[in-house]
Amino acid sequence: MTATKIRARIAGTGLYVPPKVLKNQDLEQFMDTSDEWIRQRSGIEERHVIEGGIATSDLAVESARIALAEANCTPESIDLIIVATLSPDHQFPGVSAVLQHKLGLETTPSMDLRCQCSGFIYSLNVAKLFIEAGQYKRVLVVGAEAHSPLLDWTTRGRDVAVLFGDGSGSVVLEATEDNVGVSSVVLHSQGQFADRLWVEKPGTSKGVWLTEEDRQAGRMFPFMEGRYVFKHAVERLTQVVKEVLEKEGLSIDAIDHFLFHQANIRINEKVAELLSIPSYKVHSNIQKYGNCSAASIPMLLDETIRAGKIARGQTILMAAFGAGFTWAGAIVRY
Ligand code: UT7
């Protein structure tokens, strides 16, 4: 008798964004930019930002509670918490530990996974393997980011600041014997390009956490070589879509929905064009939220499900690219 394969199905999803909205026009007050530039180059119209002492874990707990309610389960029934973020509340411990406490839990294991914009797909893979191995039955996976306090809101930082937003998306994964859930996953990274998109300081490199000179040079703000990253993003996303399809033994036609990382609408349009993916299958919400790094894909997943566009039984392909460089693709049967 062959043992039944255990899979990790999506039981519930949640999205949370802080209430304050910054429209492109609002940014013209702080820096030399324009609504036209931001829309044309990225597709972004507005983003949500935190205020009043709110931190990443506060965003995480809100989307987590929604996902738990959707999955019809309590925080106590969660066996493991994974948080993907590049904007933690503190240098350490991770957001996952803070979130665990905010959910009222005592000793549930928790871990942060730092793979920037690919972090949610990496986390999905880790959760899937824990479930398939039988170690845990229910895992909470959260992507959460509070970028806004970390950005340079002056003209010096405009090429990055206008692109990012704050928010969180959560998914409850649980064990099932049905033929659904997270299927093939492909992960990659290439540290050779770490300095093309990074926050160099504060950190232990060069032995000093943050000098006055680092501060003057703005090394604590994100730096991105935009065009270089754009080119790599298109190339790697296109490759990873093909790779994960091949691993699963499927063609583009068999995929109902494509959820790409929300860094720039032009990147995703280019990938869709190169792969001949019909535009109605490619979802986006960058217009409203900007780039929410590790939170973008779970936010988009929740929103697309809630809009009634994704039905149970349908097949989703997720793909992301970001700092590291890291990139990843996953196929999920909802
Ligand atoms: O999530 C991680 C992955 N991230 C990405 O994948 C992002 C990839 N990169 C991009 O999306 C694009 O490269 C950007 C949206 C960042 C920039 O678009 P671009 O078409 O590559 O513009 P550019 O960087 O070549 O800049 C064009 C011009 C420059 O001026 P000059 O040198 O031509 O006079 C910039 O100084 O636009 C200027 N500029 C701005 N102007 C108004 C840069 N930022 C702004 C701004 N507002 N916010």
Side-chain angles (χ1 to χ4, degrees):
M1 204 174 81
T2 49
T4 315
K5 181 165 167 48
I6 304 292
R7 295 174 198 271
R9 73 181 275 268
I10 294 179
T13 62
L15 171 152
Y16 180 78
V17 286
K20 185 172 179 185
V21 175
L22 276 183
K23 292 190 171 298
N24 290 345
Q25 289 88 343
D26 297 329
L27 305 183
E28 295 169 13
Q29 294 165 30
F30 328 123
M31 60 180 80
D32 180 14
T33 191
S34 66
D35 176 48
E36 194 195 357
W37 191 96
I38 302 169
R39 264 176 212 259
Q40 277 184 2
R41 305 280 172 145
S42 70
I44 298 164
E45 294 166 22
E46 59 188 37
R47 74 285 294 138
H48 290 246
V49 292
I50 56 166
E51 57 183 344
I54 295 295
T56 305
S57 62
D58 297 305
L59 305 180
V61 76
E62 297 295 337
S63 70
R65 286 205 178 105
I66 297 166
L68 289 164
E70 286 293 316
N72 212 8
C73 66
T74 60
E76 289 71 24
S77 71
I78 294 292
D79 300 313
L80 170 71
I81 298 169
I82 307 176
V83 176
T85 187
L86 60 73
S87 51
D89 295 20
H90 312 288
Q91 194 65 33
F92 72 85
V95 171
S96 57
V98 184
L99 170 63
Q100 186 248 35
H101 180 61
K102 286 184 175 169
L103 285 171
L105 298 170
E106 295 285 341
T107 60
T108 307
S110 64
M111 63 167 98
D112 278 30
L113 211 148
R114 296 192 59 174
C115 290
Q116 300 66 250
C117 301
S118 310
F120 179 76
I121 297 179
Y122 269 73
S123 302
L124 215 54
N125 199 6
V126 173
K128 158 193 153 79
L129 294 175
F130 270 116
I131 290 173
E132 288 179 355
Q135 184 167 349
Y136 296 125
K137 286 199 162 47
R138 195 172 276 148
V139 181
L140 172 65
V141 181
V142 183
E145 305 284 5
H147 291 120
S148 58
L150 310 174
L151 299 169
D152 179 357
W153 291 103
T154 68
T155 298
R156 179 178 69 174
R158 66 180 181 174
D159 59 325
V160 174
V162 302
L163 303 174
F164 288 87
D166 302 341
S168 81
S170 290
V171 168
V172 173
L173 285 181
E174 66 182 22
T176 180
E177 292 184 0
D178 297 340
N179 188 17
V180 294
V182 186
S183 194
S184 298
V185 186
V186 173
L187 308 176
H188 290 289
S189 78
Q190 197 169 20
Q192 174 189 355
F193 300 118
D195 62 357
R196 306 297 174 124
L197 174 52
W198 70 349
V199 177
E200 188 181 357
K201 293 278 188 159
T204 55
S205 90
K206 301 186 191 121
V208 184
W209 197 240
L210 187 70
T211 63
E212 188 45 40
E213 198 255 320
D214 288 332
R215 206 181 287 277
Q216 300 274 331
R219 295 198 183 96
M220 63 291 185
F221 295 123
F223 164 82
M224 175 167 69
E225 239 178 87
R227 291 202 166 200
Y228 197 82
V229 175
F230 188 106
K231 205 176 116 256
H232 277 254
V234 170
E235 196 179 312
R236 293 309 196 183
L237 285 169
T238 307
Q239 282 171 3
V240 88
V241 168
K242 288 186 191 160
E243 207 178 338
V244 77
L245 283 170
E246 196 178 316
K247 192 168 176 191
E248 185 78 5
L250 290 180
S251 66
I252 298 255
D253 295 346
I255 303 296
D256 299 301
H257 305 279
F258 291 83
L259 304 182
F260 295 141
H261 173 52
Q262 303 290 293
N264 186 326
I265 204 155
R266 293 188 298 134
I267 293 177
N268 296 349
E269 285 169 358
K270 189 73 198 163
V271 172
E273 182 196 319
L274 289 169
L275 293 168
S276 305
I277 303 171
S279 57
Y280 72 90
K281 289 187 176 183
V282 182
H283 302 284
S284 66
N285 60 6
I286 191 172
Q287 299 86 341
K288 290 190 290 179
Y289 304 124
N291 182 347
C292 295
S293 294
S296 280
I297 290 183
M299 284 168 64
L300 184 59
L301 174 67
D302 178 82
E303 220 173 47
T304 316
I305 291 170
R306 231 164 266 273
K309 292 178 186 162
I310 300 181
R312 286 283 178 195
Q314 288 194 313
T315 304
I316 305 164
L317 191 152
M318 302 173 182
F321 177 90
F325 294 150
T326 58
W327 63 103
I331 290 179
V332 178
R333 240 160 244 111
Y334 183 64

